[in-house]
Amino acid sequence: MSPWWVFTVDTNTASRYILNMFKEHLTKGKASRAQIYETAIRLFRERGFDDATMRDIGAELGGAASAAYYYFKSKDAIVLDYYDDVQRRHEVLVNEMLEQEKDLSRRIAQIHHLKLDILKHDRRIMGALLRYAGEPDSELSFFSVKTSGLRQAAMALFARALEGADLPADMLSVLPLLLWAAHMGVLLYFLYDKSPNQKNTRALIDRGTQLMTGFLKVAKNPLLRPIRKRTLEFIHDSGLIEAAPAH
Amino acid sequence: MSPWWVFTVDTNTASRYILNMFKEHLTKGKASRAQIYETAIRLFRERGFDDATMRDIGAELGGAASAAYYYFKSKDAIVLDYYDDVQRRHEVLVNEMLEQEKDLSRRIAQIHHLKLDILKHDRRIMGALLRYAGEPDSELSFFSVKTSGLRQAAMALFARALEGADLPADMLSVLPLLLWAAHMGVLLYFLYDKSPNQKNTRALIDRGTQLMTGFLKVAKNPLLRPIRKRTLEFIHDSGLIEAAPAH
DNA sequence: GTCTATAAAGGGATAGAC
DNA sequence: GTCTATCCCTTTATAGAC
């Protein structure tokens, strides 16, 4: 049996949740965080990131721009929330897929494909994410310390895809990073892909993962042990494999 | 002997050059393009890209912001000019270096190092270049069609470094692209490098190029011919090797 | 024709009232 | 939490100086 205080905490949490729902209904017509988020993303999709202004978002909800600023630090912060959302939806789809698919090459390819399915109509929104990539100290940079959790989660998906694969432990420790880096490359390629339905990116993914599994087979060869060891040490020493974020 | 028209073209080019020098002297004291450019870069360095405003740049020259807009399409366009400048200075240094250095691994490493020497104190300016990377249709994106020439020039330096190396022709055709991609990675690593004097990036370059030449030796092995062929075809079909820009 | 100044549009972000 | 008012920024329009 749980001690009495567990019950207490749970009711507190529950009532806070109900209170929030209640509040949302009370302030109907006004903007809640979720409403602002959804309106913003819709307008970004419809008009493009730059042409959808914060004033537009506020007006759409019958209010002022500054309402949005209460919930979001900046316009770009909304996009970061979007990427968070994408990551969560991606995780659900990938976990489902990994239950079914057992072929290593296809498991990896599908991780890329499922992300593209989510982002298919949001390439312009995605592009806005790159805006702060060049500012190491910005919270909005997706290479910054602040967004470490997001990167960890993305790499964890590749780690899951590799489970059960016949690979030495040392290679398993660096592959999620390499596959994630490749994924960043795929997304950049996707962003610039002018082919109908971005079919070039789709083909790139399939051929690329086939090639990658070919490399893995070769890399396991005992003759290549020295250079494999050097490579793995190089990657470890680069510092790019981040410690898991503190809880 | 050169035909007569080579002479004609040369004098035309030369006289245009002299005319430009002359014009620069004529407008001395006024805010010329070069003055605006240099003031802008200096302010970007001193205050950061965002905190140095176009008004500041104009004021510094005793004028208004719009003076700068006559010469530069936008604030960011100044940074693109800066990168153009960096590329030219890099070419000079690399060509000098390649005259002296004959070891393949060090030739490649030095290309990276020399770029870092130029950019050493301008990491914040560099970061601003990433701002438009997510907008494929922007002229300011350094992955766009408009900046193709800049990428070509950068890859050409790696191609020069590979001259005389004992490598099959098929590998030579894709290596400049791969080395340039690695260079982009180096620059991103450099941008985020918090170690004193960015010594981590320097070490990464040296170990990375050593590793790369190791890979090249391995890749030449006849046993790996099939996978090497597949890899090269993959890269060619990716479409990332651009045609040389039209003249 | 080449350049510069003034004015203002329009956007992101903030302060403080309520 | 949301509003109005406001600040400061980039960028454009336009008039006119050299």
Side-chain angles (χ1 to χ4, degrees):
Chain A
M1 281 291 265
S2 305
W4 63 270
W5 52 264
V6 168
F7 186 72
T8 310
V9 169
D10 276 348
T11 44
N12 274 345
T13 309
S15 57
R16 208 177 324 125
Y17 184 68
I18 291 165
L19 199 71
N20 279 337
M21 280 170 46
F22 195 54
K23 220 160 32 175
E24 259 177 46
H25 278 94
L26 275 181
T27 57
K28 201 186 165 190
K30 311 251 176 175
S32 71
R33 183 187 169 92
Q35 274 179 311
I36 288 168
Y37 171 74
E38 262 144 46
T39 306
I41 297 299
R42 182 168 53 79
L43 290 182
F44 292 163
R45 250 194 281 261
E46 284 170 14
R47 309 181 190 176
F49 182 74
D50 281 320
D51 291 339
T53 73
M54 290 298 262
R55 287 176 169 90
D56 291 340
I57 295 163
E60 194 87 355
L61 291 162
S66 49
Y69 281 101
Y70 180 78
Y71 293 102
F72 296 95
K73 202 171 173 180
S74 70
K75 191 180 175 184
D76 309 77
I78 303 177
V79 180
L80 206 62
D81 248 49
Y82 167 76
Y83 198 70
D84 223 86
D85 192 26
V86 166
Q87 178 61 30
R88 259 193 301 273
R89 283 158 60 198
H90 193 216
E91 275 166 22
V92 173
L93 295 178
V94 168
N95 284 330
E96 272 175 24
M97 179 273 294
L98 291 179
E99 300 278 323
Q100 310 294 324
E101 182 60 67
K102 294 304 169 194
D103 176 72
L104 178 60
S105 190
R106 282 202 291 271
R107 282 161 80 90
I108 303 287
Q110 277 300 96
I111 294 185
H112 297 296
H113 282 305
L114 290 170
K115 176 68 86 57
L116 263 48
D117 289 342
I118 296 172
L119 293 173
K120 201 160 33 182
H121 301 112
D122 297 340
R123 294 197 293 166
R124 284 191 301 185
I125 299 179
M126 218 177 106
L129 269 171
L130 265 174
R131 229 165 257 223
Y132 283 78
E135 292 168 35
D137 298 323
S138 163
E139 304 187 342
L140 295 166
S141 162
F142 57 82
F143 293 126
S144 77
V145 187
K146 304 270 179 187
T147 51
S148 166
L150 221 45
R151 288 191 298 280
Q152 297 289 326
M155 290 184 209
L157 291 182
F158 287 110
R160 272 212 63 193
L162 290 165
E163 277 172 16
D166 178 28
L167 290 166
D170 57 353
M171 285 175 68
L172 278 175
S173 71
V174 302
L175 273 175
L177 171 65
L178 293 185
L179 291 170
W180 175 80
H183 184 60
M184 292 294 105
V186 167
L187 292 183
L188 193 59
Y189 192 93
F190 178 65
L191 195 56
Y192 280 81
D193 189 351
K194 300 276 187 207
S195 66
N197 290 320
Q198 293 81 49
K199 68 174 182 51
N200 285 357
T201 309
R202 303 291 185 165
L204 188 87
I205 290 170
D206 292 331
R207 286 185 66 184
T209 45
Q210 289 284 348
L211 202 53
M212 190 258 334
T213 45
F215 275 125
L216 292 182
K217 277 201 194 89
V218 170
K220 284 195 289 186
N221 189 305
L223 281 172
L224 296 178
R225 201 175 173 282
I227 196 162
R228 190 177 78 216
K229 196 169 167 239
R230 275 177 65 200
T231 307
L232 296 174
E233 278 172 3
F234 172 75
I235 295 169
H236 272 294
D237 292 350
S238 74
L240 290 176
I241 298 180
E242 301 167 283
H247 290 289
Chain B
M1 280 291 266
S2 304
W4 62 271
W5 51 264
V6 167
F7 185 71
T8 308
V9 169
D10 276 347
T11 44
N12 275 344
T13 310
S15 56
R16 207 177 324 126
Y17 185 66
I18 291 165
L19 200 72
N20 279 337
M21 279 171 46
F22 195 56
K23 221 161 31 178
E24 259 175 45
H25 278 94
L26 274 179
T27 55
K28 201 186 164 188
K30 309 259 175 180
S32 69
R33 183 187 166 95
Q35 272 179 311
I36 288 168
Y37 171 74
E38 261 144 46
T39 307
I41 297 299
R42 182 169 53 78
L43 290 182
F44 292 163
R45 251 194 281 261
E46 285 170 15
R47 311 181 189 175
F49 182 73
D50 282 318
D51 292 339
T53 73
M54 290 297 259
R55 283 170 180 154
D56 291 341
I57 295 163
E60 194 88 354
L61 290 163
S66 55
Y69 280 101
Y70 181 78
Y71 295 101
F72 296 95
K73 201 170 176 182
S74 69
K75 190 180 176 183
D76 310 78
I78 302 176
V79 180
L80 207 61
D81 247 50
Y82 167 76
Y83 198 70
D84 224 85
D85 191 26
V86 166
Q87 178 60 30
R88 259 194 301 276
R89 283 158 61 198
H90 193 215
E91 275 167 22
V92 173
L93 294 178
V94 167
N95 284 331
E96 272 175 23
M97 179 273 294
L98 290 179
E99 300 278 323
Q100 310 295 323
E101 182 61 67
K102 293 304 169 194
D103 176 72
L104 178 61
S105 189
R106 281 201 292 271
R107 281 161 80 91
I108 304 287
Q110 276 300 95
I111 294 185
H112 297 296
H113 282 304
L114 290 170
K115 177 68 88 53
L116 263 48
D117 289 342
I118 295 172
L119 293 173
K120 202 159 34 182
H121 301 112
D122 298 340
R123 294 196 295 166
R124 284 191 301 185
I125 300 179
M126 218 177 106
L129 269 171
L130 265 174
R131 223 166 263 220
Y132 284 79
E135 292 167 36
D137 298 323
S138 164
E139 305 188 343
L140 295 166
S141 163
F142 57 82
F143 292 126
S144 77
V145 186
K146 304 270 178 186
T147 51
S148 167
L150 221 44
R151 287 192 298 280
Q152 296 289 327
M155 290 184 208
L157 291 182
F158 288 109
R160 271 213 62 193
L162 290 165
E163 278 172 16
D166 178 29
L167 290 166
D170 57 353
M171 284 175 70
L172 278 176
S173 71
V174 301
L175 273 175
L177 171 66
L178 294 184
L179 291 170
W180 175 80
H183 184 60
M184 292 294 105
V186 166
L187 292 183
L188 193 60
Y189 192 94
F190 178 65
L191 195 56
Y192 280 81
D193 190 350
K194 299 278 187 205
S195 66
N197 290 319
Q198 293 82 49
K199 69 174 182 52
N200 285 357
T201 309
R202 303 290 186 165
L204 189 87
I205 291 170
D206 292 330
R207 287 185 64 185
T209 45
Q210 289 284 348
L211 202 53
M212 189 260 330
T213 45
F215 276 124
L216 293 183
K217 276 200 196 90
V218 170
K220 283 195 290 187
N221 189 305
L223 281 172
L224 297 178
R225 202 176 171 281
I227 195 161
R228 190 179 78 216
K229 195 168 168 241
R230 274 176 66 200
T231 307
L232 297 174
E233 279 172 3
F234 172 75
I235 295 168
H236 273 294
D237 292 349
S238 75
L240 290 176
I241 298 180
E242 301 165 283
H247 290 289

